[in-house]
Amino acid sequence: MAADPNVQLVLDCHTDLGESPVWDARTGRLYFVDINEKRIHVYTPADKQHFTIDAPSTVGCVVPTTDPNLLLAALGSNVVEVNVEKRKTGRIVAFVSTDDNAEGTRFNDGKATPQGVFIVGRMNRAWRDGQPGKLFAMDLRVPGNTFGLLTILGPTEVCCPNGMDWDQDKGIFYFIDTADSVVRSYPVDENGVPKRSTDGVLVGVREASSHCMTLPHLANSCTLSARAYLHPFCAAAAMHYIHSKQLGRKTCRVCRVSHDVAASLSWCTHELWVLVCQSPLVKCLAW
């Protein structure tokens, strides 16, 4: 099968395990990480400037903060500040407990809610054998303190936490557990965090509606476009796709990206950009 003509190479960055692309419209920068190589990548499409920031341990994801020059990175067992201008990591602002830092665990994908709460997953490298993970929350809006991370999805509720995004108008959080490749929707509270009842039970989780998709291959990531299209990203052994589904309809479009190992995706302005793990950053032109 020929490569899709709507997919264009942007940056041949040769990551080993590229993940967590996030677009910051204030600075015109795309940030992403190379988990295994312990690097944070910074790319500016306007002038094609690209540089990396070394991290002291595996880095699962980065998120922008209210300071355009400051990121938060989930690495090792900590969440740390990253100074983009100085190109170095800084102080620890949150951390996991000793129990959640067991051998074989690491941070995975994460994003900030529209209200400014950092949501990040922690996974076990043996997730294919059923070893569970967790999803944590940290409030980015209260500077200057050290926090622990609050568990919002426990080990009975998630195995391999991965892609996520929010529909703020509908008050819905979309979340992928790669272990079963289902995109689930969760009603959220005023902070963008999944709601629970007074007895601690998750409220309104959907697994069989227009707000839930069971995907044909391992699902890694998802993002929501300005036109209310949910774009989950699926990886298979030989071919990798983007599946796009307009919420509330049964329509679906498929775009073939490459034969390489797939990773994650993000919106940059009005274009869907996809990070392919062991080679390039590409963008899809016809979405």
Side-chain angles (χ1 to χ4, degrees), residues 56-173:
S57 55
T58 56
V59 51
C61 61
V62 292
V63 292
T65 69
T66 53
D67 182 344
N69 189 51
L70 199 66
L71 305 175
L72 290 187
L75 56 92
S77 59
N78 303 313
V79 177
V80 306
E81 292 179 340
V82 180
N83 188 305
V84 178
E85 186 177 304
K86 294 181 179 179
R87 303 188 185 185
K88 66 178 185 179
T89 58
R91 70 185 184 101
I92 296 171
V93 295
F95 48 87
V96 297
S97 68
T98 302
D99 290 342
D100 291 322
N101 192 31
E103 182 72 24
T105 61
R106 67 165 175 83
F107 282 119
N108 203 36
D109 209 357
K111 286 183 180 177
T113 75
Q115 296 81 7
V117 177
F118 182 25
I119 305 295
V120 60
R122 194 162 179 88
M123 58 173 282
N124 193 302
R125 290 178 176 86
W127 64 269
R128 289 180 177 85
D129 298 324
Q131 292 298 314
K134 283 188 177 182
L135 195 67
F136 296 96
M138 170 196 160
D139 198 333
L140 297 182
R141 298 166 299 175
V142 186
N145 295 307
T146 299
F147 299 86
L149 291 168
L150 174 68
T151 299
I152 58 172
L153 291 182
T156 63
E157 297 164 328
V158 63
C159 181
C160 184
N162 224 319
M164 62 191 78
D165 210 342
W166 287 260
D167 187 328
Q168 196 169 4
D169 291 339
K170 293 184 173 68
I172 290 173
F173 170 56

Side-chain angles (χ1 to χ4, degrees), residues 13-276:
C13 47
H14 295 287
T15 58
D16 182 62
L17 184 54
E19 276 280 8
S20 182
V22 57
W23 172 248
D24 190 341
R26 300 169 301 174
T27 60
R29 292 172 180 155
L30 181 74
Y31 301 105
F32 58 98
V33 305
D34 189 338
I35 295 174
N36 291 342
E37 294 298 321
K38 306 174 186 176
R39 290 193 185 102
I40 300 162
H41 288 252
V42 183
Y43 179 64
T44 309
D47 59 10
K48 296 181 170 54
Q49 182 186 20
H50 172 239
F51 61 89
T52 61
I53 301 170
D54 290 335
S57 55
T58 56
V59 51
C61 61
V62 292
V63 292
T65 69
T66 53
D67 182 344
N69 189 51
L70 199 66
L71 305 175
L72 290 187
L75 56 92
S77 59
N78 303 313
V79 177
V80 306
E81 292 179 340
V82 180
N83 188 305
V84 178
E85 186 177 304
K86 294 181 179 179
R87 303 188 185 185
K88 66 178 185 179
T89 58
R91 70 185 184 101
I92 296 171
V93 295
F95 48 87
V96 297
S97 68
T98 302
D99 290 342
D100 291 322
N101 192 31
E103 182 72 24
T105 61
R106 67 165 175 83
F107 282 119
N108 203 36
D109 209 357
K111 286 183 180 177
T113 75
Q115 296 81 7
V117 177
F118 182 25
I119 305 295
V120 60
R122 194 162 179 88
M123 58 173 282
N124 193 302
R125 290 178 176 86
W127 64 269
R128 289 180 177 85
D129 298 324
Q131 292 298 314
K134 283 188 177 182
L135 195 67
F136 296 96
M138 170 196 160
D139 198 333
L140 297 182
R141 298 166 299 175
V142 186
N145 295 307
T146 299
F147 299 86
L149 291 168
L150 174 68
T151 299
I152 58 172
L153 291 182
T156 63
E157 297 164 328
V158 63
C159 181
C160 184
N162 224 319
M164 62 191 78
D165 210 342
W166 287 260
D167 187 328
Q168 196 169 4
D169 291 339
K170 293 184 173 68
I172 290 173
F173 170 56
Y174 294 98
F175 176 65
I176 289 175
D177 187 338
T178 297
D180 60 11
S181 288
V182 173
V183 183
R184 292 180 174 87
S185 68
Y186 299 78
V188 295
D189 63 18
E190 66 278 6
N191 295 313
V193 174
K195 288 182 179 178
R196 290 186 182 269
S197 64
T198 54
D199 57 357
V201 178
L202 283 165
V203 174
V205 182
R206 297 200 180 187
E207 299 186 5
S209 74
S210 61
H211 294 289
C212 175
M213 284 173 275
T214 302
L215 301 167
H217 308 298
L218 291 180
N220 294 55
S221 181
C222 70
T223 189
L224 194 73
S225 75
R227 294 186 296 167
Y229 275 76
L230 183 67
H231 295 258
F233 194 83
C234 298
M239 288 183 271
H240 307 277
Y241 303 90
I242 301 165
H243 292 246
S244 160
K245 184 171 184 178
Q246 188 173 23
L247 304 184
R249 296 186 183 178
K250 297 295 186 180
T251 58
C252 183
R253 294 177 61 192
V254 178
C255 175
R256 180 166 180 263
V257 176
S258 77
H259 285 293
D260 298 315
V261 178
S264 197
L265 69 166
S266 179
W267 284 97
C268 297
T269 60
H270 300 294
E271 296 171 325
L272 186 62
W273 289 40
V274 181
L275 187 61
V276 182

